[in-house]
Amino acid sequence: MFNKRSLYALMAIVFVAAMVLAACGPKATPTPTPVETTAPQVTPPPVTGASVGVILPTKNEPRWIQDETRFNDAFKAAGVEVQILFSDGDSAKEKANVESLISQGVKVIIICPHDATAAAAAAQEARDAGVKIVSYDRLIRDTEAVDYYVTFDSISVGEAQAQYLVDKATGTDNPLYLYAGAATDNNAFLFFEGAWNVLQPKIADGTFVIKNSSEAVALQDKATLTREEMSQIIGQVTTDWKFDVAKNLAEANLTAAPAADKGDVFILAPNDGTSRAIADVFAADADVTSYVVSGQDAEEPSVQYIIDGKQSMTVLKDVRTLVSDAIAAAVAFLEGGTPPETTTYNNGVIDVPAKPSVVVTVDQSNWQEALIDSGYYDIKEFTVP
Ligand code: BGC
């Protein structure tokens, strides 16, 4: 099935996948950054012509630049050529990227869709061309043409964000401001579902009072929401994953809110970029005495915000794990096998085999241990008082 050159490449990828996986195991002891430290014994010949392509959604967020870096590290260490393309937040460009990779003869495309449903047509094109599709971080929806899904446990991301707010709240009637990701991203629903699981009982018992969403207030007695119900809320509090949308929405919310709805506030912000934007707005409001705000991704600017006390927490999703899972899945497909499935995610049409990874809550109390001692970041990137 393979020529010799491809087999060298594969062996190298398997090796790197194993290295990366080994380095991303439980963090009982600090793990050194993996790939560079243990080079393969036999260097495979350089491979021209990539058999795997990666497509990421945007360069506008540090999160996806980090994925690019980690992919490049892993593939470079293997001496394997990979094409990493960006879709610039545009489904048409994403489809053109898929078509370009197909025409170059790749066998597996690892893709993080910009828009879950719009990506279905491109995925189908890949399937028709005999190319395997690995949905990366975000699930492609409403198509059968998805072979595998590597992801973090996104419901537990939302639960971790909400739990942090709950743990910091005392008494009753605490003002709660809700924000969500883009409605075109399936993850935005999973994050919100997880957050609702934890927040709803605390809204029902009076700990929190929702201040910025009439749709959420209308549904606040329901422990479990349908996708349609979540859509209604997300439609009202979406940031569209954009900093400026998040900032404008937070400003509009605070302009509309009387001083009595401010004071010590609690903010569910869906990720780090929107968290920084929203936190800046709340910090600038004279009627906000204090705020607790969530995030996710452990982006470097947000780690600095946490060190500086401007963002309360983030959820670390170790991108090295996701990259190694994606590479392992690609290798399994290239070898004619199937990657390990620990669960499935329904994408509206099929149950997609998947392997979700665990996430870690990070705040001022553990950022050094979780992010520096683990080798995820270099302390030199941060200004520590
Ligand atoms: C990812 C997050 C990211 C967000 C915005 C989500 O699908 O899971 O890590 O912050 O998209 O890009």
Side-chain angles (χ1 to χ4, degrees):
M1 186 176 173
F2 300 115
N3 60 30
K4 217 170 168 187
R5 206 178 55 179
S6 310
L7 270 175
Y8 280 132
L10 276 181
M11 283 161 54
I13 295 179
V14 174
F15 185 85
V16 170
M19 287 296 98
V20 179
L21 272 173
C24 296
K27 294 202 170 79
T29 51
T31 46
T33 309
V35 178
E36 297 83 61
T37 50
T38 332
Q41 295 298 302
V42 182
T43 310
V47 177
T48 52
S51 51
V52 181
V54 178
I55 303 177
L56 296 171
T58 177
K59 282 194 171 177
N60 286 344
E61 297 169 41
R63 159 74 215 261
W64 305 112
I65 304 282
Q66 166 147 202
D67 291 67
E68 179 192 31
T69 306
R70 305 286 189 185
F71 266 117
N72 272 326
D73 288 350
F75 279 107
K76 193 170 156 206
V80 172
E81 196 177 310
V82 63
Q83 278 233 43
I84 304 183
L85 305 174
F86 279 87
S87 306
D88 302 336
D90 175 358
S91 295
K93 171 124 194 232
E94 182 176 85
K95 190 154 177 285
N97 283 340
V98 170
E99 286 163 357
S100 160
L101 290 173
I102 294 171
S103 70
Q104 290 171 55
V106 304
K107 298 284 175 266
V108 180
I109 296 178
I110 298 167
I111 176 170
C112 179
H114 162 62
D115 176 315
T117 300
Q124 187 61 52
E125 262 189 66
R127 167 144 311 172
D128 293 346
V131 173
K132 296 286 187 190
I133 285 282
V134 177
S135 209
Y136 180 82
D137 193 287
R138 300 177 180 169
L139 185 58
I140 302 172
R141 284 187 61 83
D142 303 322
T143 176
E144 287 181 13
V146 189
D147 296 288
Y148 193 62
Y149 181 32
V150 292
T151 184
F152 296 99
D153 181 346
S154 294
I155 290 186
S156 77
V157 171
E159 287 173 345
Q161 293 171 330
Q163 192 59 50
Y164 198 87
L165 304 187
V166 168
D167 290 346
K168 296 289 172 193
T170 53
T172 56
D173 297 329
N174 293 290
L176 177 65
Y177 291 79
L178 301 173
Y179 298 94
T184 50
D185 178 1
N186 192 59
N187 284 349
F189 288 81
L190 300 175
F191 301 144
F192 195 84
E193 181 181 338
W196 193 260
N197 287 345
V198 174
L199 288 175
Q200 191 277 335
K202 293 294 181 183
I203 295 163
D205 76 5
T207 304
F208 292 118
V209 182
I210 302 166
K211 296 297 182 187
N212 70 328
S213 170
S214 55
E215 297 285 357
V217 169
L219 292 161
Q220 67 186 6
D221 293 332
K222 290 197 70 177
T224 308
L225 302 177
T226 64
R227 194 172 172 96
E228 185 47 43
E229 288 167 340
M230 280 191 279
S231 280
Q232 287 163 24
I233 301 174
I234 291 172
Q236 201 171 42
V237 299
T238 184
T239 60
D240 209 18
W241 292 136
K242 296 192 176 104
F243 316 143
D244 54 337
V245 175
K247 176 176 182 283
N248 292 341
L249 181 60
E251 280 172 356
N253 290 159
L254 287 186
T255 302
D261 287 350
K262 299 179 186 176
D264 298 316
V265 307
F266 294 80
I267 310 162
L268 177 76
N271 76 346
D272 281 350
T274 58
S275 181
R276 295 191 300 277
I278 293 166
D280 288 348
V281 172
F282 277 77
D285 190 302
D287 294 322
V288 173
T289 321
S290 73
Y291 62 86
V292 179
V293 64
S294 62
Q296 80 165 291
D297 293 333
E299 288 183 351
E300 285 184 18
S302 276
V303 176
Q304 189 64 56
Y305 258 50
I306 288 173
I307 294 168
D308 296 342
K310 299 197 301 192
Q311 181 177 325
S312 313
M313 64 86 78
T314 187
V315 180
L316 168 64
K317 307 199 301 187
D318 190 326
V319 171
R320 297 171 303 185
T321 311
L322 208 57
V323 163
S324 93
D325 284 351
I327 293 175
V331 168
F333 284 130
L334 287 168
E335 287 174 333
T338 45
E341 163 186 334
T342 53
T343 189
T344 59
Y345 283 76
N346 190 276
N347 78 343
V349 175
I350 55 163
D351 290 329
V352 182
K355 180 173 177 291
S357 297
V358 295
V359 300
V360 178
T361 296
V362 174
D363 70 358
Q364 268 192 351
S365 71
N366 70 338
W367 70 270
Q368 296 234 25
E369 182 195 350
L371 299 171
I372 309 299
D373 300 350
S374 68
Y376 200 63
Y377 287 135
D378 193 321
I379 188 77
K380 290 204 286 289
E381 305 302 326
F382 305 103
T383 307
V384 184

